[in-house]
């Protein structure tokens, strides 16, 4: 019997995310583009170079090209995904967002004119979205996922990611907000990467605390007082965001942390203090990604329906997980989790006899929470 023909190996993927990177590859002598994924690069001044390269098995995602070049690349074996008109975001985005980018222009104009608000308004207009709108959102979320992996490689070398979940309604200046800020600060100071849902309230507080992890206690306390001047994003997101920008301006280059919000809850604006923002359209994807990346465990501050959902979503992963995948769950607030919203008795009962039994904790202070994380 003749041997089965060998399968052709998949070409190695090379992500090309800037014109400088493209030029460097060409200057290094590249002639074949097999496996290249050229993402959101303006190639209008590189038509001569593209004609000299062999683009077979390359992929061009949202690149600017001279007229006729798209057809030329396709004819020579490339896959070309064009820029999609009428979409207020880049579906092929190669990097995560920052707060100042999402709130661009908010110092001079109302929040409703910022990129974040315009994208949310676009989602509300879609209704029963056509294939182009659905494809744009799906492509965006896929590339944000890729960018998040790249970011975690940069931030997480030898470091664990610890999630902080809690109420979006916690007002700046409240005891709940300040506790969340102290928690984020302590987690970051312990060498972990803080990750939150990226929104306001306790999420903002945890990202703020992480961002200011390296500043002296006196300046940290002053920042909490400064930001409390505008307690909530209601009635004005603009005023809420401007105070945050002022704090950022006084403390440039803070400790990195992650925020993973969603335009599904676009009425809850993203916070400014997560230095790396992975904002998704699909909330179900966002929730799964957030819990999956929290390799160092999750701390659950007092919250309502959303936080309860996250508690048991995480519990389900741990309940069925193999020993090496089980991560700590720390519920903060004995009275809240045993009387007001008694999730703890059910969680403890679920954990009995399972691998997660020693990894669930109920504590009453930020200090205890940090201690049990190890």
């Amino acid at each position: 019997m003749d041997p089965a023909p060998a399968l052709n190996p998949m070409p190695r993927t090379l992500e090309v995310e800037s014109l400088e990177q493209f030029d460097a590859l060409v200057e290094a002598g590249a002639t074949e583009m097999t496996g290249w994924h050229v993402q959101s690069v303006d190639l209008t001044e590189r038509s001569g170079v593209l004609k000299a390269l062999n683009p077979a098995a390359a992929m061009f995602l949202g690149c600017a090209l001279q007229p006729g070049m798209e057809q030329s690349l396709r004819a020579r074996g490339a896959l070309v995904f064009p820029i999609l008109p009428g979409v207020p975001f880049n579906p092929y985005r190669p990097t995560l967002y920052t707060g100042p980018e999402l709130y661009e222009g908010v110092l001079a104009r109302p929040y409703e004119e910022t990129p974040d608000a315009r994208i949310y308004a676009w989602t509300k207009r879609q209704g029963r979205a056509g294939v182009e709108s659905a494809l744009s959102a799906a492509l965006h979320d896929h590339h944000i996922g890729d960018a998040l992996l790249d970011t975690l490689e940069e931030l997480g070398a030898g470091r664990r990611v610890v999630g902080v979940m809690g109420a979006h309604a916690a007002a700046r200046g409240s005891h709940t907000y300040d506790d969340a800020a102290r928690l984020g600060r302590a987690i970051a100071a312990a060498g972990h990467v803080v990750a939150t849902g990226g929104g306001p309230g306790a999420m903002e507080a945890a990202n703020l605390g992480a961002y200011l992890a390296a500043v002296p206690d006196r300046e940290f306390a002053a920042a909490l007082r400064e930001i409390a001047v505008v307690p909530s994003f209601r009635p004005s997101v603009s005023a809420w965001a401007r105070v945050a920008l002022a704090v950022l301006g006084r403390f440039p280059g803070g400790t990195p942390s992650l925020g993973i919000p969603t335009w599904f809850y676009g009425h809850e604006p993203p916070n400014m203090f997560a230095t790396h923002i992975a904002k998704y359209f699909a909330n179900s994807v966002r929730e799964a990604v957030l819990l999956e990346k929290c390799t160092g465990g999750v701390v659950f501050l007092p919250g309502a329906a959303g936080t309860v959902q996250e508690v048991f979503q995480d519990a389900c992963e741990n309940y069925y997980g193999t020993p090496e995948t089980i991560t700590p769950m720390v519920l903060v607030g004995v009275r809240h989790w045993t009387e007001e919203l008694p999730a703890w008795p059910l969680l403890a009962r679920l954990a009995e006899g399972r691998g997660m039994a020693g990894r669930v904790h109920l504590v009453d202070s930020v200090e205890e929470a940090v201690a049990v994380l190890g």
Side-chain angles (χ1 to χ4, degrees), residues 6 243 308:
V243 172
V308 172

Side-chain angles (χ1 to χ4, degrees), residues 65 113 150 169 187 277:
L65 301 165
E113 296 180 20
D150 292 341
I187 292 171
I277 300 175

Side-chain angles (χ1 to χ4, degrees), residues 7-373:
L7 295 175
N8 291 327
M10 293 292 291
R12 184 177 68 86
T13 298
L14 174 62
E15 295 183 354
V16 182
E17 298 175 348
S18 69
L19 186 60
E20 292 74 18
Q21 186 182 0
F22 178 87
D23 288 342
L25 289 167
V26 173
E27 289 171 9
T31 58
E32 305 281 336
M33 299 181 70
T34 301
W36 290 23
H37 288 186
V38 189
Q39 194 168 333
S40 299
V41 178
D42 185 346
L43 296 171
T44 52
E45 301 299 323
R46 298 295 185 274
S47 293
V49 175
L50 289 172
K51 289 176 181 176
L53 292 168
N54 177 7
M59 189 180 296
F60 294 81
L61 302 157
C63 295
L65 301 165
Q66 287 283 6
M69 183 52 62
E70 182 178 325
Q71 291 80 359
S72 169
L73 292 169
R74 285 195 174 120
R76 291 182 287 143
L79 284 174
V80 182
F81 291 81
I83 297 171
L84 298 173
V87 176
F89 56 89
N90 179 4
Y92 314 106
R93 183 181 177 88
T95 61
L96 298 186
Y97 295 97
T98 66
E101 178 186 8
L102 289 172
Y103 286 94
E104 183 183 2
V106 77
L107 291 178
R109 300 187 298 276
Y111 165 72
E112 288 73 18
E113 296 180 20
T114 64
D116 185 69
R118 290 200 305 270
I119 296 171
Y120 178 52
W122 177 86
T123 69
K124 301 298 285 183
R125 290 195 302 268
Q126 297 314 301
R128 295 177 65 86
V131 64
E132 188 171 280
S133 298
L135 181 60
S136 299
L139 283 168
H140 171 276
D141 284 3
H142 169 79
H143 287 104
I144 285 294
D146 278 353
L148 179 57
L149 290 176
D150 292 341
T151 298
L152 287 170
E153 287 183 6
E154 295 172 10
L155 298 182
R159 304 167 70 196
R160 294 184 296 167
V161 177
V162 174
V164 178
M165 315 294 177
H168 72 272
R172 294 168 172 171
S174 68
H175 179 73
T176 301
Y177 187 96
D178 289 356
D179 269 357
R182 290 192 300 111
L183 175 64
R185 178 173 162 88
I187 292 171
H192 307 310
V193 177
V194 170
T196 77
M203 295 174 280
E204 179 191 56
N207 286 126
L208 168 63
Y211 184 82
L212 298 178
V215 307
D217 291 346
R218 180 179 296 180
E219 294 189 40
F220 174 65
L224 289 178
R225 290 194 299 271
E226 179 180 349
I227 204 163
V229 171
V230 181
S232 173
F233 62 92
R234 295 189 177 98
S236 172
V237 177
S238 303
W240 180 82
R242 287 166 188 159
V243 172
L245 276 172
V247 173
L248 283 179
R250 287 208 304 113
F251 299 99
T255 301
S257 69
L258 290 171
I260 307 182
T262 172
W263 277 291
F264 182 81
Y265 294 134
H267 56 286
E268 296 178 9
N271 81 71
M272 202 78 73
F273 296 104
T275 57
H276 298 75
I277 300 175
K279 192 157 189 178
Y280 286 86
F281 288 102
N283 185 50
S284 58
V285 175
R286 167 256 192 168
E287 289 177 339
V289 166
L290 178 55
L291 290 174
E292 175 192 339
K293 302 308 179 190
C294 293
T295 54
V298 180
V299 180
F300 298 94
L301 297 167
T307 309
V308 172
Q309 176 188 340
E310 290 159 347
V311 167
F312 288 104
Q313 188 172 345
D314 195 22
C316 186
E317 298 291 332
N318 282 331
Y319 185 88
Y320 292 109
T322 56
E324 65 274 12
T325 66
I326 297 172
T327 56
M329 299 180 64
V330 186
L331 277 62
V332 180
V334 173
R335 182 174 178 274
H336 182 85
W337 294 116
T338 60
E339 297 179 26
E340 295 180 22
L341 289 176
W344 174 255
L346 179 53
L347 178 61
R349 184 63 182 270
L350 276 173
E352 289 178 4
R354 308 292 299 188
M356 64 188 285
R359 309 305 297 277
V360 296
H361 309 274
L362 177 64
V363 302
D364 227 5
S365 71
V366 166
E367 293 74 19
E368 290 176 279
V370 176
V372 299
L373 285 171

